[in-house]
């Protein structure tokens, strides 16, 4: 399972924000405008995220980030089910 710390270390906030907007179907220019950064900075975030997620494509990076998030959520016990 993916721990919260591992997920944090894998993606910096900027890269995670860019991947979230990529998942929404936005272009580099559109993402840059929403985040007040240049399209080149968006490309840098995408490239770094792809490297960290060992992804060959932008789509694969989004899919792997979502998989990691789902694994993190699935690893969380339901409230009241376990002793802490």
């Amino acid at each position: 399972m993916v721990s919260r710390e591992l997920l944090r270390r894998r993606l910096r906030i900027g890269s995670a924000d860019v991947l979230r907007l990529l998942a929404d179907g936005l272009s580099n220019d559109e993402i840059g405008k929403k985040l007040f950064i240049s399209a080149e900075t968006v490309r840098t975030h995408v490239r770094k995220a792809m490297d960290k997620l060992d992804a060959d494509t932008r789509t694969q990076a989004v899919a792997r980030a979502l998989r990691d998030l789902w694994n993190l959520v699935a690893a969380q016990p339901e409230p009241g089910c376990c002793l802490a």
Side-chain angles (χ1 to χ4, degrees):
M1 291 294 154
V2 177
S3 73
R4 191 170 298 192
E5 182 59 30
L6 179 59
L7 189 60
R8 245 184 262 145
R9 270 189 268 146
R10 283 188 83 175
L11 289 178
R12 298 259 183 231
I13 290 174
S15 295
D17 287 341
V18 167
L19 284 179
R20 181 180 51 81
L21 294 171
L22 268 180
D24 287 341
L26 275 63
S27 68
N28 288 348
D29 288 335
E30 292 168 326
I31 293 169
K33 287 176 185 171
K34 277 195 172 282
L35 298 178
F36 304 102
I37 58 177
S38 71
E40 184 60 36
T41 301
V42 172
R43 282 189 284 280
T44 298
H45 281 299
V46 171
R47 187 176 65 255
K48 287 181 178 183
M50 287 173 62
D51 288 344
K52 287 182 180 182
L53 295 167
D54 195 29
D56 296 322
T57 66
R58 295 157 59 105
T59 302
Q60 191 175 44
V62 169
R64 288 186 177 177
L66 286 172
R67 179 202 59 207
D68 286 354
L69 181 60
W70 288 327
N71 286 338
L72 177 65
V73 169
Q76 301 299 314
E78 291 185 29
C81 80
C82 307
L83 295 176

